[in-house]
Amino acid sequence: MSTETSVTARTSAPLHVSAAATWRTGLVAAGIAGLANLVVLAVAGALGADLLVRQTPDAAATEVTFGMVAVMSVAPIVLATVVLLVLRRWGARAWRALAAVGLALGLLTVPMPFTVDATTGTQVALATMHVVAGVVWFVLVRRAASDATR
C-alpha cells in the first residue's frame, strides 16, 4: 500500500524542472520538428511534388517555401511550450497529457492538406509534416516528464 501512495504522490507532485529546462525541452522539440519538416519538404520537392497550394481551384497558387514550413513547424511548438511552463505546477501527469494533446493535434490535422487544391505529392508531404511535429513533441515532452520524476 505504501508503494501505491509513493507512486501517486510522485506523479502528482510538481515537476522539479526549471523554467530554463522547460524552454530547452520546447525549443529542442521545435528545432527538431522544424528541421525534420524541412527535410520532408526537400525530399518532396526532389521527388517531383510541385509544392503549390490553392485554397480553391480558381485561387492563385501559393508555393510552400522553406520559410513557411519553418515558421509553421516552430511557432505552434513554441506556443505549446508556454503552456508547458504553466503546467509544471500540476506535475508530470499534466506534461504527459499535453504531450498526448500535441500528438493528437498532429494526427487529427492530417486531413487538412487534403482539403486544398494541390498535387497528391504536395498533400502527402504536408500531411507528413503534421505527423512529424506531433510525434516529435510527444516523444520529447514525455521523455522530459519521465526524467523529471526520477
Side-chain angles (χ1 to χ4, degrees):
M1 185 135 207
S2 63
T3 303
E4 290 178 30
T5 305
S6 65
V7 169
T8 303
R10 186 176 63 177
T11 58
S12 61
L15 289 177
H16 298 290
V17 180
S18 68
T22 302
W23 275 112
R24 188 171 38 253
T25 297
L27 294 177
V28 167
I32 291 171
L35 287 174
N37 282 340
L38 290 174
V39 169
V40 170
L41 181 69
V43 168
L47 292 176
D50 66 8
L51 304 172
L52 298 174
V53 176
R54 292 174 186 80
Q55 294 302 316
T56 64
D58 299 330
T62 302
E63 182 179 2
V64 180
T65 65
F66 279 88
M68 291 170 67
V69 170
V71 169
M72 297 305 289
S73 297
V74 170
I77 294 178
V78 170
L79 289 173
T81 302
V82 173
V83 177
L84 205 58
L85 281 165
V86 173
L87 292 181
R88 287 186 308 144
R89 59 178 71 145
W90 283 285
R93 240 188 202 156
W95 272 34
R96 288 184 188 104
L98 187 60
V101 166
L103 177 61
L105 286 173
L107 297 177
L108 291 172
T109 58
V110 164
M112 290 176 65
F114 297 99
T115 65
V116 297
D117 185 43
T119 62
T120 302
T122 299
Q123 291 172 329
V124 169
L126 293 172
T128 301
M129 292 178 201
H130 286 245
V131 174
V132 165
V135 168
V136 167
W137 174 256
F138 178 78
V139 169
L140 291 178
V141 173
R142 293 265 315 179
R143 181 177 298 152
S146 294
D147 291 348
T149 58
R150 289 184 189 167

